[in-house]
Amino acid sequence: QSSLTLFGVADAAVSYYSAKGVYYYSPVASLPPVATPIEVGRSLTALSSGGNASSRVGFRGTEDLGGGLAASFWLESGFNQDTGANAIAAFSRRSTVSLSGGFGELRLGRDYVPTYWNESVFDPMGAVGVGENLIKTVSGSIATVRGPGSLIAPNDNAIRASNSIGYFLPRNLGGFYGQLMYSLHENVDSNNVPGSPSSKGRYYGGRFGYANGPLDVAIAYGESTAADTTTLTAAGIATGARFSDKLKTINLGASWDFGILKLMGELSQVRDSTSTVTPVRGVAGPAVKENDKYNGAMLGMTVPVGPGMFKASVARVNFDNDLGPVLPGAPDRDASVSKLALGYVHNLSKRTALYATVAQVRVSNGQNNPAIMGIYAGGLANVAGGTASSGIAPRSARGYDLGIRHSF
Amino acid sequence: QSSLTLFGVADAAVSYYSAKGVYYYSPVASLPPVATPIEVGRSLTALSSGGNASSRVGFRGTEDLGGGLAASFWLESGFNQDTGANAIAAFSRRSTVSLSGGFGELRLGRDYVPTYWNESVFDPMGAVGVGENLIKTVSGSIATVRGPGSLIAPNDNAIRASNSIGYFLPRNLGGFYGQLMYSLHENVDSNNVPGSPSSKGRYYGGRFGYANGPLDVAIAYGESTAADTTTLTAAGIATGARFSDKLKTINLGASWDFGILKLMGELSQVRDSTSTVTPVRGVAGPAVKENDKYNGAMLGMTVPVGPGMFKASVARVNFDNDLGPVLPGAPDRDASVSKLALGYVHNLSKRTALYATVAQVRVSNGQNNPAIMGIYAGGLANVAGGTASSGIAPRSARGYDLGIRHSF
Amino acid sequence: QSSLTLFGVADAAVSYYSAKGVYYYSPVASLPPVATPIEVGRSLTALSSGGNASSRVGFRGTEDLGGGLAASFWLESGFNQDTGANAIAAFSRRSTVSLSGGFGELRLGRDYVPTYWNESVFDPMGAVGVGENLIKTVSGSIATVRGPGSLIAPNDNAIRASNSIGYFLPRNLGGFYGQLMYSLHENVDSNNVPGSPSSKGRYYGGRFGYANGPLDVAIAYGESTAADTTTLTAAGIATGARFSDKLKTINLGASWDFGILKLMGELSQVRDSTSTVTPVRGVAGPAVKENDKYNGAMLGMTVPVGPGMFKASVARVNFDNDLGPVLPGAPDRDASVSKLALGYVHNLSKRTALYATVAQVRVSNGQNNPAIMGIYAGGLANVAGGTASSGIAPRSARGYDLGIRHSF
């Protein structure tokens, strides 16, 4: 006995994105930059894809192997409804094959990382569209939100990880649920190359939760190696520095369903930890470490209204650039972002809905993290293009989606 | 109640393409080029894809929402049957989600532009293969058929447009039908950048027709902004020219079914209108305009013969390069193309057919539009590689397809 | 009456690959290189895709046209289960449309070449995973196994060919079966360009066999033009050399099913034949020919064990670089490779299996063909990166797959 299902979502919206900022510059190169009062603005109206649920096409199936055992697969590709781009070019949303039974589920391939589930399950907006969870926006874009002087380290594994081996607890544990995930870095180990293999790309994490009656609560942790490089001499000897960068995410999400409304929220911290070890006369010196932190909180709710659903969320993320003590009287070195999102989904059927979402973002001290994310989820080219010394600092952003979502 | 359909076409043919031309050169740089009697030829035999119907795979479905309302989606990708290339890499043939009811249909995404329907519906060959509508070939390749001295402006939206919002009249209007389409340009509006936003990519158009009994007639118009650029100084000030290029297509198609044969035809004009405004001492000067025109006519018929269908069409497109008055005794500055196509489709079933098509193209004054299209629909590298001063001028082309088409 | 089937395979494994080699150098540039005792090693652990059957998604269907005639199509794309990459980006595994009847089958598009069938059908491992047929590995990578001084000629058509016209004998010939295939090169014939058209890409081949009771035996031959170039002067005159490279594959495979075990094997020769004709004072000189040969033999068996299947194979490929007579006392100029592979497949159902495969490869005189294939089927970056004068010569390799395969 087995099943094979073709499924998907077709979701398109008319969207508007705008962002405002000011110019900034550093009067003294060693000091944090200062914002000026010169305002600039950017805006864009677009047909967008996936404002209520990411547009996708997938194939999935399950085979009952008897004795409680089952084999299953899930292949899912995202596409752009507005242009048709991507189609089924890659099963980059999910590509897994599983064996499951009384022991739980063993899952191989590309899948969501554990920490991502808290960012989508406990977000009234489902982590899509202009109203998406601010914490998710920042986590997925760590590379570009780092402060002046910081290095770039894209958080490749913020949402999904390839080459993963996952384990899920069985479903009948009295409300407890959980999963573990390990992703192979797949770098070659060369016996005559110092610093080999690099562990760049390795990921491990887990999530454990409890769902019973109106309550659902879960905690998750994940660690992704974003960089691990060793500088070699021409002769292949490691006289240069070994640099590593790890992104460590911990978050806690919870929801309580009161019937007339469902409250939900998330607390999150992402640490971007770099370590540089420089050999001195052939001996490894002390590790120079830097820890940028992104502390986020989000509170939201959904309210069923007839065939529709009203949604709201407020969120804030504080950036903590590890730049040492601030001189007396010097400006703040850290940016912060806050977001308000409101939405309404009108269900025409179980599978089809019309929706509207509006979002407003405010940024403080954007000159310290000029490429701040979360101000224009959905498509507008970044308001900021600045460097550490001068550029455009984001101050606020606004957006809306007006769309239709059809699941098949 | 809903449906989900996987569908497609697998169509492959053995095709032959040949083209002949002569060398040309300009004795005086300011005069149109002159053809010489030195002949060159090119030919190619290939396995081709989509000679009778474009090879494709798609997913589509409709959900009845009650009260006359329905939601639907259509995702369709073209592929190359001969090599397997493209597969479902992009839903570039169509990617839409719709809401329809008594008011008609609202359609969002990537779709055919209104003017294209006249070029395919009223073409006996369905605008595919070596016999395809000459008007369609030229319209879809405006960029490369422009005359000496002209600028390149690819007609991106000749067949389909992305980011479109479409509206279709309801079906029960006593034979009248129609549609409107608007495509967003999706360029960023920057409050401190002159000439922003560029409207490159914007499209709007419409089509209205009447079908009753043996008659079907429709008129369509579309305007696509192929270029809209403003030259800025290093300080971001618009001291340079603002150049815009619009492609304006109007066409009229009609068919009359006499039973024993069906007559059909199309008249078309594509205007390639550029405008250049150069500021003089900071003030916008007068617009310098240029209008290249492509005037086309096509007449065709289909004749049912037992389980088969005989097809024929003749077509002509005249190029009118806007190069000002011709000096007395100087050679003609405009090229023209004519085409004869004959085909036979032998239906083995409703879904499967064998087919044969032959086509012959003749070009006059090809040296004025060396990259003339329509002479080798289907694949042969262009016979012409010339510039305004010397190169190869196409004179004639010939081709055939012998293939099998299977719909699923 | 017709059918439309969506099908595929989801196959993922934890795999380990390791390779060992030694440095080599040439004491005298005109002599073959010599291996040194300095050892290097490479290893990699990875999640891999398709260790038991290539991961794929496809669409296929048949329509009964009556009178014994049928139309059918087959569109199949391979993907990477471990990362989701490729998905349905190209129907590069197979893209065909067919007409079949009492006369056999006419098939158009991209398909397997005839010689490849012997390499997969008579391989206990089905030509996939770490245990794959050594002959297949070498044949598919001729470009990189050529000896010092040899030119690169990728065997594009080793497994499949695009633009092919295939014919298959009907099925009811008393056990005899066979096929012919011709692939068009699709290069333009220019009447004024010497050496035009190049025949690069052209393929032709055939396979004939007999299967009756426990016996299955087949012979196949194929010839692929890997290169055909003519050096022209600036004036377009062929004063330079015309170089052509043909890959000629012949192989013989057979199996005998004893019930408790099935014996199988393959003999193969691939000739890489180049010809260079240099004109002397405008007249074509004598052709300078070179013939590199790859002689392979493989013996294998499968043994059903309850719900499982044990598999084993041994194989060897000798390289014969056409470098002329060896000086007395000079080292051997030819490499050779041998492989031992063992596997076990445990069927959980007809569609789902767990599997384990191990393989060991040994290389002699690897310094002569440093990029020797077959030592790391499945993914490890090549141990060798050498040139003719110095580099790393492969000596041995080892690998295993531990995976799950699910067909749908």
Side-chain angles (χ1 to χ4, degrees):
Chain A
Q1 195 181 348
S2 64
S3 69
L4 171 57
T5 305
L6 166 63
F7 67 96
V9 172
D11 180 324
V14 175
S15 297
Y16 172 81
Y17 313 106
S18 74
K20 284 185 182 160
V22 295
Y23 279 96
Y24 69 86
Y25 77 107
S26 285
V28 180
S30 61
L31 286 183
V34 180
T36 72
I38 305 167
E39 282 217 355
V40 292
R42 301 280 184 273
S43 67
L44 176 64
T45 306
L47 195 74
S48 69
S49 176
N52 180 258
S54 298
S55 296
R56 75 195 72 173
V57 176
F59 312 97
R60 63 175 182 241
T62 301
E63 183 193 15
D64 185 347
L65 297 167
L69 215 58
S72 58
F73 74 100
W74 190 300
L75 303 171
E76 185 179 321
S77 170
F79 71 94
N80 300 15
Q81 182 73 54
D82 47 346
T83 63
N86 296 322
I88 318 185
F91 293 125
S92 49
R93 287 182 58 85
R94 184 168 161 190
S95 168
T96 61
V97 57
S98 295
L99 194 65
S100 55
F103 63 88
E105 179 184 347
L106 182 69
R107 192 184 287 184
L108 303 177
R110 178 173 177 81
D111 198 9
Y112 290 93
V113 297
T115 52
Y116 182 70
W117 287 111
N118 285 346
E119 286 167 11
S120 59
V121 168
F122 300 112
D123 176 14
M125 309 297 174
V128 290
V130 293
E132 74 166 11
N133 189 345
L134 182 64
I135 294 170
K136 176 239 178 180
T137 316
V138 173
S139 295
S141 311
I142 290 295
T144 47
V145 290
R146 301 193 71 175
S150 292
L151 286 152
I152 295 295
N155 195 351
D156 295 331
N157 295 330
I159 299 180
R160 302 173 182 87
S162 289
N163 303 308
S164 79
I165 301 166
Y167 168 70
F168 291 75
L169 289 175
R171 294 180 179 274
N172 53 352
L173 300 178
F176 289 97
Y177 59 87
Q179 68 174 109
L180 293 170
M181 185 190 223
Y182 179 77
S183 275
L184 291 152
H185 59 65
E186 299 201 357
N187 298 308
V188 173
D189 183 354
S190 300
N191 72 340
N192 58 337
V193 178
S196 150
S198 164
S199 61
K200 181 185 187 326
R202 182 162 63 190
Y203 175 90
Y204 60 82
R207 179 172 182 249
F208 296 92
Y210 178 74
N212 207 342
L215 174 69
D216 189 0
V217 57
I219 189 165
Y221 178 77
E223 193 170 317
S224 175
T225 304
D228 180 12
T229 58
T230 302
T231 312
L232 304 183
T233 64
I237 301 164
T239 53
R242 175 158 199 165
F243 170 75
S244 77
D245 188 346
K246 289 186 181 173
L247 294 160
K248 301 167 184 174
T249 304
I250 185 165
N251 57 32
L252 172 73
S255 66
W256 190 281
D257 194 344
F258 293 97
I260 58 160
L261 72 83
K262 190 175 174 183
L263 264 186
M264 53 186 72
E266 186 196 359
L267 294 172
S268 171
Q269 184 182 65
V270 180
R271 267 179 300 151
D272 188 349
S273 303
T274 65
S275 156
T276 308
V277 178
T278 310
V280 181
R281 287 181 200 144
V283 181
V288 178
K289 291 180 185 259
E290 186 185 302
N291 264 283
D292 287 357
K293 285 181 204 139
Y294 307 85
N295 298 303
M298 191 267 295
L299 187 67
M301 66 172 179
T302 60
V303 184
V305 184
M309 172 84 82
F310 174 77
K311 300 164 160 198
S313 75
V314 289
R316 186 174 174 85
V317 177
N318 290 322
F319 299 70
D320 178 3
N321 303 313
D322 183 9
L323 291 169
V326 179
L327 294 179
D332 192 349
R333 289 165 160 178
D334 300 317
S336 64
V337 191
S338 57
K339 182 170 187 173
L340 170 67
L342 301 173
Y344 176 69
V345 178
H346 186 78
N347 293 301
L348 297 173
S349 76
K350 218 173 157 184
R351 292 171 40 205
T352 305
L354 302 176
Y355 62 88
T357 317
V358 292
Q360 170 79 35
V361 173
R362 296 207 174 278
V363 181
S364 298
N365 291 316
Q367 69 276 11
N368 293 310
N369 299 75
I372 265 182
M373 304 303 291
I375 62 166
Y376 56 91
L380 179 59
N382 200 334
V383 75
T387 65
S389 55
S390 72
I392 298 174
R395 296 292 279 270
S396 67
R398 192 170 290 181
Y400 66 76
D401 295 326
L402 285 175
I404 178 170
R405 184 258 303 152
H406 175 66
S407 304
F408 56 91
Chain B
Q1 194 180 349
S2 65
S3 69
L4 171 57
T5 305
L6 166 63
F7 67 95
V9 172
D11 180 323
V14 175
S15 297
Y16 171 82
Y17 314 105
S18 74
K20 284 184 182 160
V22 295
Y23 279 96
Y24 69 87
Y25 77 109
S26 286
V28 180
S30 61
L31 287 183
V34 180
T36 72
I38 305 167
E39 282 217 354
V40 292
R42 302 280 185 273
S43 67
L44 176 64
T45 306
L47 195 74
S48 68
S49 177
N52 180 258
S54 298
S55 296
R56 75 196 71 172
V57 177
F59 310 99
R60 65 175 182 241
T62 300
E63 183 193 15
D64 185 348
L65 297 168
L69 215 59
S72 57
F73 74 99
W74 190 301
L75 303 171
E76 184 178 322
S77 170
F79 71 94
N80 300 16
Q81 181 73 55
D82 48 345
T83 63
N86 296 323
I88 318 184
F91 293 125
S92 48
R93 287 181 59 85
R94 184 169 160 188
S95 167
T96 62
V97 56
S98 294
L99 194 66
S100 56
F103 62 89
E105 178 184 347
L106 181 70
R107 192 184 287 183
L108 303 177
R110 179 173 177 80
D111 197 10
Y112 290 93
V113 298
T115 53
Y116 183 70
W117 287 112
N118 284 346
E119 286 167 12
S120 59
V121 168
F122 300 111
D123 177 14
M125 307 299 175
V128 290
V130 293
E132 73 166 12
N133 188 345
L134 182 63
I135 293 170
K136 176 240 178 178
T137 317
V138 173
S139 295
S141 312
I142 291 294
T144 47
V145 292
R146 301 194 71 176
S150 291
L151 287 152
I152 296 295
N155 196 349
D156 295 332
N157 295 330
I159 298 180
R160 299 173 183 89
S162 290
N163 303 308
S164 81
I165 302 167
Y167 167 72
F168 291 74
L169 289 175
R171 295 179 178 276
N172 51 353
L173 300 178
F176 289 97
Y177 58 88
Q179 67 174 112
L180 293 171
M181 185 190 222
Y182 179 76
S183 274
L184 292 152
H185 60 65
E186 300 202 354
N187 298 310
V188 173
D189 183 354
S190 299
N191 72 340
N192 59 337
V193 178
S196 150
S198 164
S199 62
K200 181 185 186 326
R202 183 163 60 190
Y203 174 91
Y204 60 84
R207 180 173 182 251
F208 296 93
Y210 177 74
N212 206 343
L215 174 69
D216 189 359
V217 57
I219 190 166
Y221 177 77
E223 194 171 314
S224 173
T225 304
D228 180 13
T229 57
T230 302
T231 312
L232 303 183
T233 64
I237 301 165
T239 54
R242 176 158 197 165
F243 171 75
S244 76
D245 189 346
K246 290 185 182 174
L247 294 160
K248 300 166 185 175
T249 304
I250 185 164
N251 57 30
L252 172 73
S255 64
W256 189 281
D257 194 344
F258 294 96
I260 58 161
L261 72 83
K262 190 176 176 182
L263 265 186
M264 53 186 72
E266 185 196 359
L267 294 173
S268 171
Q269 183 183 67
V270 180
R271 267 180 301 151
D272 188 349
S273 302
T274 64
S275 156
T276 308
V277 178
T278 309
V280 181
R281 289 181 199 144
V283 181
V288 178
K289 291 178 185 260
E290 185 185 303
N291 264 283
D292 287 357
K293 284 181 206 140
Y294 307 86
N295 298 303
M298 191 266 295
L299 187 67
M301 65 170 180
T302 59
V303 184
V305 185
M309 174 83 82
F310 174 77
K311 301 165 161 196
S313 75
V314 290
R316 185 174 174 86
V317 176
N318 290 324
F319 299 71
D320 179 3
N321 303 313
D322 185 10
L323 291 169
V326 179
L327 294 180
D332 192 348
R333 286 165 163 179
D334 300 317
S336 64
V337 192
S338 57
K339 183 171 186 172
L340 171 66
L342 301 172
Y344 176 69
V345 179
H346 186 77
N347 294 301
L348 297 173
S349 76
K350 219 174 156 182
R351 292 170 40 204
T352 304
L354 302 176
Y355 63 89
T357 317
V358 292
Q360 169 79 34
V361 173
R362 295 209 175 277
V363 180
S364 296
N365 290 316
Q367 69 276 10
N368 293 310
N369 299 75
I372 267 182
M373 305 304 291
I375 62 167
Y376 56 90
L380 179 59
N382 199 333
V383 74
T387 65
S389 55
S390 73
I392 298 174
R395 295 292 280 271
S396 67
R398 191 169 290 181
Y400 66 75
D401 294 325
L402 286 174
I404 178 170
R405 184 258 303 152
H406 175 66
S407 305
F408 54 91
Chain C
Q1 195 181 352
S2 64
S3 69
L4 171 55
T5 305
L6 166 63
F7 68 96
V9 172
D11 180 323
V14 174
S15 297
Y16 171 83
Y17 314 105
S18 75
K20 284 185 182 161
V22 295
Y23 279 97
Y24 69 86
Y25 77 107
S26 285
V28 180
S30 60
L31 287 182
V34 180
T36 70
I38 304 166
E39 283 217 354
V40 292
R42 301 280 184 273
S43 67
L44 176 63
T45 306
L47 195 74
S48 68
S49 176
N52 179 260
S54 298
S55 297
R56 74 195 72 172
V57 177
F59 311 98
R60 64 175 182 243
T62 301
E63 182 193 15
D64 185 348
L65 297 167
L69 215 60
S72 58
F73 74 99
W74 189 300
L75 303 170
E76 184 178 321
S77 171
F79 71 94
N80 299 16
Q81 181 73 55
D82 46 346
T83 63
N86 297 323
I88 318 185
F91 293 125
S92 50
R93 288 181 58 85
R94 185 169 160 189
S95 166
T96 61
V97 56
S98 294
L99 193 66
S100 56
F103 62 88
E105 178 184 346
L106 181 70
R107 191 184 287 183
L108 303 177
R110 179 173 177 80
D111 198 9
Y112 290 93
V113 298
T115 53
Y116 182 70
W117 287 112
N118 285 345
E119 286 167 12
S120 59
V121 168
F122 300 111
D123 177 13
M125 307 298 174
V128 290
V130 292
E132 74 167 12
N133 189 345
L134 182 63
I135 294 170
K136 177 240 179 178
T137 317
V138 172
S139 295
S141 312
I142 290 296
T144 45
V145 291
R146 301 194 70 177
S150 292
L151 286 152
I152 295 295
N155 196 350
D156 295 332
N157 295 330
I159 298 180
R160 300 172 182 90
S162 290
N163 302 307
S164 80
I165 302 166
Y167 168 71
F168 291 75
L169 290 174
R171 295 180 178 276
N172 52 354
L173 299 178
F176 289 97
Y177 58 87
Q179 68 174 110
L180 293 171
M181 184 190 224
Y182 179 76
S183 276
L184 292 152
H185 60 65
E186 299 201 356
N187 298 308
V188 173
D189 184 354
S190 300
N191 72 340
N192 60 338
V193 178
S196 151
S198 163
S199 62
K200 181 184 187 327
R202 183 163 62 191
Y203 174 91
Y204 60 84
R207 180 172 181 250
F208 296 93
Y210 178 75
N212 206 341
L215 174 69
D216 189 359
V217 57
I219 189 165
Y221 178 77
E223 195 172 314
S224 175
T225 304
D228 180 13
T229 57
T230 302
T231 312
L232 303 183
T233 63
I237 300 165
T239 54
R242 175 158 198 164
F243 171 75
S244 77
D245 189 346
K246 289 186 181 174
L247 295 161
K248 300 166 184 174
T249 304
I250 185 164
N251 57 30
L252 174 71
S255 65
W256 189 281
D257 194 343
F258 293 97
I260 58 160
L261 72 82
K262 189 176 176 183
L263 264 186
M264 54 185 73
E266 186 196 0
L267 293 172
S268 172
Q269 184 184 66
V270 181
R271 266 179 302 151
D272 188 349
S273 302
T274 66
S275 156
T276 308
V277 179
T278 309
V280 181
R281 288 179 200 146
V283 182
V288 178
K289 290 178 185 258
E290 187 186 301
N291 264 283
D292 287 357
K293 285 179 205 140
Y294 307 85
N295 298 302
M298 191 266 295
L299 187 67
M301 65 171 180
T302 60
V303 184
V305 184
M309 174 82 84
F310 174 77
K311 301 164 159 197
S313 75
V314 289
R316 186 174 174 86
V317 177
N318 290 321
F319 299 70
D320 179 3
N321 302 314
D322 184 9
L323 291 169
V326 179
L327 294 180
D332 191 348
R333 288 165 160 178
D334 300 316
S336 64
V337 191
S338 58
K339 182 170 187 173
L340 170 66
L342 301 173
Y344 176 69
V345 179
H346 187 77
N347 294 301
L348 297 173
S349 76
K350 219 173 157 183
R351 292 170 41 205
T352 305
L354 302 175
Y355 62 88
T357 317
V358 292
Q360 169 79 36
V361 173
R362 294 208 175 276
V363 181
S364 296
N365 291 315
Q367 69 276 10
N368 293 310
N369 298 74
I372 266 182
M373 304 303 291
I375 62 168
Y376 57 90
L380 179 58
N382 200 333
V383 74
T387 65
S389 55
S390 73
I392 298 174
R395 297 291 281 270
S396 68
R398 192 168 290 181
Y400 67 74
D401 294 326
L402 285 174
I404 178 170
R405 184 259 302 151
H406 175 66
S407 305
F408 55 92

